[in-house]
Amino acid sequence: MKVAEIGVNELEGFLKELLAKNVVDCLMLPFRVGKTVTYMLIRDPEKMGSPVLFVPVFGISAANIAKGWTIEQKMGIVAKPCEIRAAIELIKLEQISPESVLLISVDCAGAYNLKDYAEHTDEIGDVLDASKVDDLRKKGVELRTACQICDKRLAEYGDIGIARVDSDKVQIVALSQKGEDAISAIELAVEDKDVSREGERAKIAEEAKKRESEIARISSVEELDDVLASCILCKNCRDMCPVCYCKVCFFEQPLGDVKGGDLLNLAELRGVLRVPSPVQMFYHLTRLYHVCTTCVGCGACEDACPSEIPLTKIYPMVAAKVQEMFDYEPGKSVEEPLPLTTYKEEEYEEYLR
């Protein structure tokens, strides 16, 4: 594995070189704008400024922004592991061209939603540490639930990983041939070595499993109905989900979104009709079916919900069970085939017995 160790203060130079040496045509990077953080698309390396690569906030997924990037120009995407994993799933779903992106993941210590970050920007800062998390928790400000139960926070996905060694140094790790070629093109001093992060990975997994066990599960249809009772069918969860990509959603078509005179037709058939039609559960179950194999557990759906429905209890948790059944990890590799699209003679037998 090709690895280069550089100072944190050299990261900006590394990214500028990707543009200057034409490794990529543009870079999508997170920047602080006032009390919030947003992605910006950089073409001119001299106008880059200072990106906040490790900032502990989650807004719109970088993968959602890159969705539909199938042009010839190559974009470098620098983002959290869940966002890079979602981009990999979109490549497999043919929503992003694999030749048109260089995927660069950065270590993530967890993130706050945009609202909490805006209200506590100075306390949270651009890099998270344990003491900040504890202090904010005492004030009732928690990391996003999706982040608390995430066990894939290390920069081990995509073409290049940017792993924090300590507060002053990072490792630039080539994770694919494309990543290795990119590092070689900017002439970084690299060495061949095995980067083992088993200890960190085990610790993160243990913490995530402990937190997940503390979350009350939905164990019946009645409980699910209660959880979804405040859903107003705004479909924000669908729009913010990075791996939900249908060009025409069923719930924007007449059969899925009954309006106008069709309501009267249904009322005549049934005698009485509740309006708007109670399709909340149908909507969420349909969406869950669509994304259960590709869901990366980023929690964008829950962040987007104006009714504050705990959608992390539904989408990531159910998806994890489905992915376990198919022995599939979304976003792990572009080469790994999607479940339900590849026939395997012996597949699923243990669950059918």
Side-chain angles (χ1 to χ4, degrees), residues 235-274:
K235 306 182 185 74
N236 284 358
C237 54
R238 175 200 65 187
D239 296 340
M240 290 298 102
C241 175
V243 296
C244 204
Y245 69 93
C246 292
K247 301 304 180 185
V248 181
C249 178
F250 171 79
F251 290 96
E252 301 295 344
Q253 299 180 62
L255 284 175
D257 187 21
V258 181
K259 291 179 179 176
D262 289 333
L263 289 170
L264 184 59
N265 293 336
L266 285 173
E268 185 174 349
L269 285 171
R270 301 176 187 176
V272 61
L273 180 69
R274 173 180 162 186

Side-chain angles (χ1 to χ4, degrees), residues 278-295:
V279 297
Q280 288 97 328
M281 186 178 294
F282 181 39
Y283 164 75
H284 286 285
L285 290 177
T286 300
R287 216 180 78 74
L288 181 59
Y289 167 72
H290 279 184
V291 304
C292 63
T293 55
T294 54
C295 173

Side-chain angles (χ1 to χ4, degrees), residues 62-128:
N64 213 14
I65 300 170
K67 194 183 298 179
W69 191 275
T70 54
I71 61 177
E72 290 184 3
Q73 285 77 8
K74 182 179 286 188
M75 173 169 59
I77 303 174
V78 185
K80 295 175 172 58
C82 63
E83 298 172 272
I84 297 301
R85 292 172 60 219
I88 290 172
E89 290 303 288
L90 288 172
I91 288 173
K92 290 191 276 189
L93 291 164
E94 300 183 359
Q95 303 304 303
I96 293 177
S97 170
E99 295 80 20
S100 297
V101 288
L102 179 71
L103 302 177
I104 305 172
S105 60
V106 299
D107 278 354
C108 177
Y112 294 93
N113 62 41
L114 284 173
K115 180 176 179 291
D116 287 339
Y117 186 80
E119 292 176 355
H120 301 273
T121 306
D122 295 335
E123 297 167 83
I124 296 171
D126 295 337
V127 180
L128 197 64

Side-chain angles (χ1 to χ4, degrees), residues 44-342:
D44 183 349
E46 297 309 313
K47 294 184 178 180
M48 180 178 291
S50 299
V52 284
L53 304 187
F54 301 99
V55 66
V57 62
F58 186 99
I60 298 175
S61 172
N64 213 14
I65 300 170
K67 194 183 298 179
W69 191 275
T70 54
I71 61 177
E72 290 184 3
Q73 285 77 8
K74 182 179 286 188
M75 173 169 59
I77 303 174
V78 185
K80 295 175 172 58
C82 63
E83 298 172 272
I84 297 301
R85 292 172 60 219
I88 290 172
E89 290 303 288
L90 288 172
I91 288 173
K92 290 191 276 189
L93 291 164
E94 300 183 359
Q95 303 304 303
I96 293 177
S97 170
E99 295 80 20
S100 297
V101 288
L102 179 71
L103 302 177
I104 305 172
S105 60
V106 299
D107 278 354
C108 177
Y112 294 93
N113 62 41
L114 284 173
K115 180 176 179 291
D116 287 339
Y117 186 80
E119 292 176 355
H120 301 273
T121 306
D122 295 335
E123 297 167 83
I124 296 171
D126 295 337
V127 180
L128 197 64
D129 62 46
S131 63
K132 292 178 181 179
V133 174
D134 291 338
D135 290 344
L136 286 161
R137 184 180 294 121
K138 292 172 185 175
K139 298 178 181 180
V141 183
E142 293 271 8
L143 287 171
R144 301 162 68 249
T145 303
C147 296
Q148 293 183 48
I149 65 173
C150 176
D151 62 357
K152 297 175 177 62
R153 296 187 185 182
L154 299 182
E156 300 177 321
Y157 303 91
D159 302 305
I160 295 173
I162 300 179
R164 290 188 69 89
V165 177
D166 53 41
S167 60
D168 298 318
K169 293 182 179 179
V170 295
Q171 287 182 331
I172 309 294
V173 184
L175 302 173
S176 71
Q177 186 60 53
K178 191 193 298 184
E180 187 174 324
D181 293 342
I183 292 173
S184 297
I186 60 176
E187 301 175 357
L188 271 183
V190 298
E191 57 180 317
D192 286 304
K193 67 177 184 179
D194 181 31
V195 180
S196 176
R197 306 184 73 183
E198 283 298 326
E200 293 175 78
R201 197 179 300 115
K203 183 180 178 182
I204 291 170
E206 182 181 356
E207 291 173 352
K209 188 174 182 180
K210 179 178 182 296
R211 179 66 184 104
E212 186 176 341
S213 68
E214 295 169 351
I215 297 175
R217 301 300 182 95
I218 298 171
S219 57
S220 69
V221 173
E222 290 75 22
E223 286 184 29
L224 179 61
D225 199 23
D226 288 342
V227 169
L228 297 176
S230 59
C231 175
I232 59 173
L233 285 175
C234 65
K235 306 182 185 74
N236 284 358
C237 54
R238 175 200 65 187
D239 296 340
M240 290 298 102
C241 175
V243 296
C244 204
Y245 69 93
C246 292
K247 301 304 180 185
V248 181
C249 178
F250 171 79
F251 290 96
E252 301 295 344
Q253 299 180 62
L255 284 175
D257 187 21
V258 181
K259 291 179 179 176
D262 289 333
L263 289 170
L264 184 59
N265 293 336
L266 285 173
E268 185 174 349
L269 285 171
R270 301 176 187 176
V272 61
L273 180 69
R274 173 180 162 186
V275 289
S277 183
V279 297
Q280 288 97 328
M281 186 178 294
F282 181 39
Y283 164 75
H284 286 285
L285 290 177
T286 300
R287 216 180 78 74
L288 181 59
Y289 167 72
H290 279 184
V291 304
C292 63
T293 55
T294 54
C295 173
V296 295
C298 68
C301 53
E302 183 169 314
D303 286 352
C305 181
S307 297
E308 299 184 350
I309 298 171
L311 293 174
T312 302
K313 285 186 176 184
I314 303 172
Y315 290 97
M317 288 192 173
V318 174
K321 293 295 184 184
V322 175
Q323 292 157 13
E324 182 183 354
M325 290 176 180
F326 286 100
D327 191 24
Y328 180 72
E329 181 183 328
K332 182 179 181 180
S333 168
V334 173
E335 283 73 36
E336 187 176 8
L338 289 164
L340 304 179
T341 63
T342 307

